[in-house]
Every structure is written in structure tokens, then in C-alpha cells.
Amino acid sequence: MRIWRTLAEIPGAQRSVVTIGNFDGMHNGHKKVVSTCVERARRRGVDAVAITFDPHPLQVHKPEAGVQLISPLRDRLDAMAAAGLDAVLVAHYDVNLYSLEPDEFVQEYVVDRMGAVEVVVGEDFRFGRANAGTIDTLRELGRGLGYDVVMVTDIEAPEGRRWSSSWVRSLLAEGDVAGAARVLGHLHRIRGTVEHGFKRGRALGFPTANLASGIEGVVPGDGVYAGWLVRNVPGTLSAEFLPAAISVGTNPQFGATERTVEAHVLGRSDLNLYGERIAVTFVSRIRPMLAFSSLEELLAQMDDDLRQTASVLGIGPAGRVDPDSVTAL
């Protein structure tokens, strides 16, 4: 999939079916819109192309809201490539873009550069200065500019709720990563660089890879989760998926105040991941974050966490490692 960062990078003879949106998280609703774009492009014998935005418009217009992307741009683009798109324009969202009137945006981005023969959007689509453009606006402009408009109706979950990024964020805040995965259509993951922590876990037989600052993606609510630590295999395009028990929170047992993500790879004491960029993928919540009355009670619970994590992930029984065997400094 080709990725364009500016209009100037787009070939002048481009002809395409275009879809437009933020596509944050690439949930099931987004996938339906994108798959419709791809299907109609194949039927017409032209490219299937998306226009998406970075940063997210809410981060620009309402920075005080602290909106965080469900997943990093890299993961969004990977999901869009997997959906079959031929190219994506990552349009830099700034005053030069959001000040365009609806007709200016369509003329410059959709027609002149993309060569749109068709535009595919969801039914809540808005565009242009102050979101003044609607689907009716898009259709009216299309009649004069030579493209058709296809509206994909809101896709509803079995309980009748519309698939949406806000629903995903709500589920993640509750720690319901399995529910979020159902809405997304894939497991939720975050990315970050492994940092040095207090090294309490290694002394207890639970060495962890710690993420604290610079995490990309929405961190689920506090608790203990079963999931995977994913690292790139150096010198290859391959990834290594390591079964992990993941702790999210401030670690109330030790009176900590900084919220971190700590991933313990089951059965491994030989990993040195400091400074490495990794992904952490969440499968299921094991329990809430708790404080215990004694270290022994904490250790007993952590032993149970490992057993439950291994069961959820479908691997053999796991237990604590020998603290003296931990090789990372």
C-alpha cells in the first residue's frame, strides 16, 4: 500500500474510489466502509484510496479534552493495508486544511489530486470548515464534478449499538479488553519503549518489561490482563509473540503513584528488552488492581495470575522464575 504525506506526492493521473475519515482504531464500522471502497474500486478497475488525518481533529480543536488515539498511526495504516486499500493520504490536519470550505476540500483533495470517480463514506460523515459539509453536500458537488457517492449505513452490533471509536474507548476504560476486541474486530494493542523500573518484580520472580512514558494507544483501565508482548525480530520482518501477564496501574501494594504498564513474559528470565520498542496486546482481563495485606498474599495471587494467564492464552502451566536467573541489568 502506498502512503502519501502530501498532495504533491500523489500521481497526477490518479483515478480512484475514495473514502475519507479518521478511522481511529479501524473498528468494524470502519472496516465495512473501507471494504466497500475496495469492492467498488475493483469493480471499476481503479485504485481504492483513503484520506485520513493526523493529528486527530479533536486533538487540534479540543486539546483540553486529552483525546488519545485508540491505536498509533502505524497500526491504523497496517489495518488499512490489510483491508485491501491501494493507497492512503495521511493529510496533516492543521489550519490550512480545516479552514477549507467543503467545495474547496472536495475540489483540491478529492477531485484534482485523487481523481475520484466515486466517494464512499459512513452516514455520519461531515467535512469542510466548521464541519459544514454533509453527505447531501458531497452528492451535490459530485453531480457537478463527475463522481458518485455511496453511503454505508451505520453497522450495528447484535445488541443494536452502533460500532464506534467512543464505544471502544469506554470499554477500554472499564478494562473490558475482550469487549473492545469484539467492537474493533481485532485485539487491542499499545506500543512503547521499555524503560527501567524499580525492579521489584524481578526480586519476586516476576521480571517485567515496563512502559510508562510515551505510550502510543489507549491504555486499558487498571488491572491484570492476559496478553502478548510482541517484539520485532532484528534484521527481519518477523515478529515474536511472547505470552505475558500484564499489570496496568500504580502498583498500590508498594505505594507507587506513577501509572505504568508492566508485562511479565511467562517462564522467561533471559530477556533484556531495555530501550526496545515493543507492542503489548491485550486478550482478557484477569482481575482488578488490588492491594494485599501481606507479601505472601500478593505472591499467592500473582501465582494464580500466571496460572490463569497461561490458561487464557492456551499454553502450558507457568510459574515464577528464579530471581537469580534474571539476566537483564
Side-chain angles (χ1 to χ4, degrees), residues 175-198:
D176 186 0
V177 294
R182 185 172 65 87
V183 179
L184 287 167
H186 56 265
L187 296 175
H188 176 64
R189 64 176 173 263
I190 61 174
R191 295 184 184 272
T193 300
V194 178
E195 304 176 8
H196 287 275
F198 291 101

